[in-house]
Amino acid sequence: MKVGVADTTFARVNMGAIAINELKRHASVAIERTTVPGFKDLPVACKKLIEERGCDIVIALGMPGGQEKDKLCAHEASQGLMLAQLMTNHHIIEVFVHEDEAGDDQELAWLAERRTREHAENAVNLVLRPEVLTRMAGTGQRQGFKDAGPARQ
């Protein structure tokens, strides 16, 4: 299995390095990394990791700012990532940590690391161990902050 890791220089945390570290903890996989300036560059970077570098799955890591224009740009980038998935028939795990999700830099760094690690594990499971995800269906998993848990019936 080959995993692509696409990250940005705009992010305030080295999410690519965290993802690679976590991938190595969960499986023996080949890793291809590319870094682009910003999250709007991620869709083509991910598509190239799949089509030109033979990745089976890609983790797209970005950190949108807290302004309204940043949210709009993140939405556009997210749509591009969805389109890239459809064009390549490969999963691209979007890992965005918005700066305004955290109260301060320490919490932002913590959240970026935790969300990145949890999604890296999801990527491995999606390709190598899909039954793990099936067992967790309906359990209210969240990447980053506390899991929501299943709804009470």
Side-chain angles (χ1 to χ4, degrees), residues 76-148:
E76 292 168 346
S78 183
Q79 288 182 314
L81 290 169
M82 286 186 268
L83 183 58
Q85 289 183 81
L86 294 171
M87 292 173 71
T88 62
N89 203 32
H90 284 68
H91 287 283
I92 298 171
I93 305 297
E94 177 183 312
V95 185
F96 283 3
V97 177
H98 295 254
E99 284 187 353
D100 62 357
E101 287 186 79
D104 57 32
D105 282 359
Q106 183 177 355
E107 185 181 31
L108 182 66
W110 172 86
L111 178 59
E113 179 167 353
R114 183 167 166 146
R115 185 169 294 159
T116 299
R117 289 188 183 283
E118 290 181 4
H119 274 304
E121 183 177 0
N122 283 340
V124 170
N125 287 336
L126 192 57
V127 176
L128 295 180
R129 299 184 283 272
E131 69 281 357
V132 171
L133 295 176
T134 301
R135 283 194 304 269
M136 295 183 349
T139 61
Q141 299 296 303
R142 301 296 184 263
Q143 288 70 42
F145 292 117
K146 182 180 176 188
D147 294 339

Side-chain angles (χ1 to χ4, degrees), residues 1-142:
M1 173 174 135
K2 186 185 284 190
V3 180
V5 175
D7 64 343
T8 72
T9 61
F10 188 84
R12 298 178 59 212
V13 175
N14 189 343
M15 297 166 72
I18 295 166
I20 290 167
N21 176 268
E22 191 68 16
L23 287 166
K24 289 178 178 179
R25 290 182 61 225
H26 291 280
S28 178
V29 296
I31 298 169
E32 292 281 336
R33 181 179 182 179
T34 190
T35 304
V36 295
F39 54 83
K40 289 190 289 184
D41 302 303
L42 287 171
V44 71
C46 292
K47 187 172 182 289
K48 289 176 80 162
L49 282 167
I50 292 164
E51 294 180 345
E52 297 176 10
R53 293 166 71 179
C55 293
D56 299 296
I57 192 167
V58 175
I59 303 170
L61 303 149
M63 186 174 284
Q67 303 295 319
E68 195 58 39
K69 64 183 172 187
D70 298 317
K71 295 176 194 304
L72 177 60
C73 289
H75 179 262
E76 292 168 346
S78 183
Q79 288 182 314
L81 290 169
M82 286 186 268
L83 183 58
Q85 289 183 81
L86 294 171
M87 292 173 71
T88 62
N89 203 32
H90 284 68
H91 287 283
I92 298 171
I93 305 297
E94 177 183 312
V95 185
F96 283 3
V97 177
H98 295 254
E99 284 187 353
D100 62 357
E101 287 186 79
D104 57 32
D105 282 359
Q106 183 177 355
E107 185 181 31
L108 182 66
W110 172 86
L111 178 59
E113 179 167 353
R114 183 167 166 146
R115 185 169 294 159
T116 299
R117 289 188 183 283
E118 290 181 4
H119 274 304
E121 183 177 0
N122 283 340
V124 170
N125 287 336
L126 192 57
V127 176
L128 295 180
R129 299 184 283 272
E131 69 281 357
V132 171
L133 295 176
T134 301
R135 283 194 304 269
M136 295 183 349
T139 61
Q141 299 296 303
R142 301 296 184 263

